[in-house]
Amino acid sequence: IMIHIPHQALWLQWLLLAVALLALVGGLSQPGQLQQSNAWLQDRITRSQARPATPEVVLVLADDRSIASIGRWPWRRALHAQVLRHISAGQPQSIGLDFLLTEEDLDYPEDDLLLAHTMAASGRVVLPVVPIGGGGQEALLPLPLLAQAAAALGHTAIEPDSDGSVRRFHPWQQATTAAGGMLWPHFTIAMQCVEHPQQASCQPLQRPPEAQALPPALSLIGFASRHPPFTRYAYIDVLQGRIPSGAFRNKHVLIGSNATGVATTAATPGAPEQAMMSNVELLAHTLHSQLQPHALHPASTSSNVALNLALVGAGLLAVLLLSPSSALVACAALAVLALGITWASASLWGSVLQPMAALLGLATAYPLWSWRRQTAALGFFQAELRALQQQSSTLLPGIPRRRGDFLQQHIVQVQHALQHLQHLQAQREQAMR
């Protein structure tokens, strides 16, 4: 590889370009910048990192067949109590009942008491704190009778990105209820804490934190591979006892709906082969990602800035010191390196970087510096041509312009001038001889 030492003027131009481009890349590496392009890359990385669904997660779904058999939604809570008794007999780790239970059942008031007794006897049922309004800042608690009987409560707030797709969740979410403001754990964290309350992430559940005590950082959802990825049973089959209780032993059981017209769905482009999924399925993927050795999480801002600036800085040095062809190869190699580092970081440590600022900087550095080199070359040709015309004003004929780009025209003019001067020099030597 040929290394070229640039002229002092080019050094100054390169320095100005480097400062401007690195400042731009640093700004674009901040949170909230290049969201759509970074999200597009994150979806591909998430799919490539998808692991087989953990067997600990099991779904019991109120599906279309169950609705056709039992009747229209909502169902009596006595049915939920019967399903919970059957599942609890199998000694699961936890049971997440993802149903809206915020009001009394006026038609069958005795069902509320029956469901509360069943939940208290199980000691493993988690109920949702349901977000309402914008951003999930307000939430509804379950019916007080049921909330007291539950083993834990957890929020089910969805955090869509700017394109409306769901890729992340809040491990902790501040939500205002009738009882006041409080920081709630995510539904899936509450489920894990039923069986393992000694985990570090479960300690705040023992003593509910204040809103400012635990910052609610975002985590990414590592979707499971294959479709359908999790073991799933129809609600009607569990209700009628066709699924043995032993099938739920040591499992995290999520009960919810994916029936048409009943279930709430979300766009999930990061999930392999499943661009849309119901809320209970999304909870299953969220729980699955937390049970992995390296749960996916966004890389820190400092990591993104350092990576992007280092790669673009290397690219700027390449365009300065190398030939145009070698610099192009170097910039392309650095772009591939950026993608490789991003993939390796997610695979080894679960940290998802945002390298789009580096890719944009590398794609900008080469054409900008090539433009400056071309401008410098054009200026050189113009200066040489003027010098030749001044030195040989009586001997050098006018050179007609030809078709072609601006730089090519000047190259041709200089070539013609040199050829004519060489011809004159030959004539002079011949005359001397």
Side-chain angles (χ1 to χ4, degrees):
I1 298 176
M2 295 294 295
I3 297 180
H4 302 274
I5 305 301
H7 190 268
Q8 185 176 1
L10 283 181
W11 269 108
L12 179 59
Q13 293 180 15
W14 175 86
L15 185 61
L16 294 175
L17 173 64
V19 170
L21 192 56
L22 290 176
L24 176 63
V25 170
L28 293 178
S29 301
Q30 301 300 316
Q33 302 299 317
L34 302 178
Q35 284 186 335
Q36 292 189 357
S37 55
N38 279 313
W40 177 87
L41 180 60
Q42 178 188 315
D43 292 338
R44 271 81 193 152
I45 292 176
T46 303
R47 292 177 192 171
S48 70
Q49 300 296 323
R51 296 178 174 88
T54 173
E56 294 181 64
V57 180
V58 173
L59 288 169
V60 174
L61 297 174
D63 54 7
D64 291 332
R65 183 166 66 88
S66 299
I67 295 243
S69 301
I70 298 174
R72 69 176 185 175
W73 190 265
W75 296 332
R76 287 188 56 176
R77 293 172 185 176
L79 300 181
H80 300 333
Q82 184 176 339
V83 167
L84 288 177
R85 279 196 301 271
H86 184 73
I87 294 175
S88 298
Q91 298 181 349
Q93 294 189 57
S94 66
I95 305 173
L97 189 61
D98 184 33
F99 290 146
L100 188 64
L101 303 172
T102 58
E103 297 179 354
E104 296 181 4
D105 189 339
L106 299 179
D107 294 329
Y108 303 96
E110 68 280 2
D111 283 12
D112 291 335
L113 186 60
L114 175 62
L115 180 57
H117 284 321
T118 304
M119 290 169 54
S122 171
R124 298 179 179 275
V125 180
V126 177
L127 292 181
V129 175
V130 183
I132 59 174
Q137 294 302 307
E138 297 182 7
L140 293 175
L141 288 172
L143 191 66
L145 178 67
L146 301 178
Q148 294 173 4
L153 302 178
H155 81 84
T156 57
I158 292 177
E159 185 71 26
D161 288 336
S162 58
D163 60 354
S165 301
V166 177
R167 302 178 179 92
R168 52 189 182 166
F169 70 98
H170 278 294
W172 294 84
Q173 174 75 46
Q174 183 179 1
T176 303
T177 64
M182 186 174 172
L183 206 60
W184 297 94
H186 192 265
F187 191 78
T188 56
I189 293 178
M191 289 181 65
Q192 296 174 73
C193 293
V194 170
E195 180 70 12
H196 304 287
Q198 72 279 5
Q199 290 182 352
S201 60
C202 300
Q203 296 307 310
L205 295 180
Q206 311 302 321
R207 186 177 300 171
E210 298 294 333
Q212 294 81 15
L214 189 63
L218 282 168
S219 293
L220 301 179
I221 301 174
F223 294 95
S225 60
R226 297 196 301 270
H227 178 68
F230 301 100
T231 301
R232 53 181 61 199
Y233 304 111
Y235 186 102
I236 185 63
D237 293 335
V238 178
L239 179 66
Q240 295 178 351
R242 288 196 285 267
I243 308 299
S245 297
F248 305 105
R249 187 176 302 278
N250 295 325
K251 307 293 185 183
H252 292 289
V253 184
L254 277 160
I255 306 174
S257 175
N258 70 337
T260 304
V262 175
T264 302
T265 59
T268 52
E273 302 178 11
Q274 194 172 4
M276 298 288 295
M277 64 176 62
S278 63
N279 186 64
V280 69
E281 292 174 295
L282 186 60
L283 289 173
H285 284 275
T286 305
L287 180 55
H288 156 85
S289 79
Q290 295 176 66
L291 296 175
Q292 300 305 307
H294 299 294
L296 293 179
H297 60 275
S300 64
T301 302
S302 59
S303 298
N304 288 322
V305 172
L307 173 70
N308 293 332
L309 290 182
L311 290 170
V312 175
L316 286 167
L317 287 174
V319 299
L320 174 69
L321 300 176
L322 303 180
S323 66
S325 298
S326 298
L328 179 60
V329 172
C331 288
L334 288 169
V336 174
L337 179 62
L339 297 176
I341 291 175
T342 302
W343 183 89
S345 175
S347 178
L348 297 176
W349 304 289
S351 181
V352 180
L353 294 159
Q354 296 189 342
M356 278 300 178
L359 298 181
L360 179 61
L362 291 170
T364 305
Y366 182 81
L368 281 179
W369 187 244
S370 297
W371 165 69
R372 288 306 309 151
R373 274 182 166 170
Q374 186 179 31
T375 302
L378 181 58
F380 169 78
F381 287 130
Q382 289 176 327
E384 289 297 316
L385 186 58
R386 284 194 299 268
L388 288 172
Q389 289 174 341
Q390 290 173 1
Q391 294 174 8
S392 309
S393 57
T394 58
L395 300 176
L396 189 63
I399 302 174
R401 291 183 176 269
R402 298 190 178 185
R403 291 185 178 181
D405 62 74
F406 194 62
L407 178 59
Q408 182 63 28
Q409 291 178 10
H410 284 76
I411 293 174
V412 171
Q413 287 179 319
V414 172
Q415 287 176 341
H416 278 283
L418 292 174
Q419 290 172 1
H420 187 71
L421 289 176
Q422 290 173 355
H423 177 68
L424 292 176
Q425 182 67 20
Q427 287 181 339
R428 177 180 177 278
E429 292 178 355
Q430 183 178 3
M432 292 296 293
R433 286 197 297 269

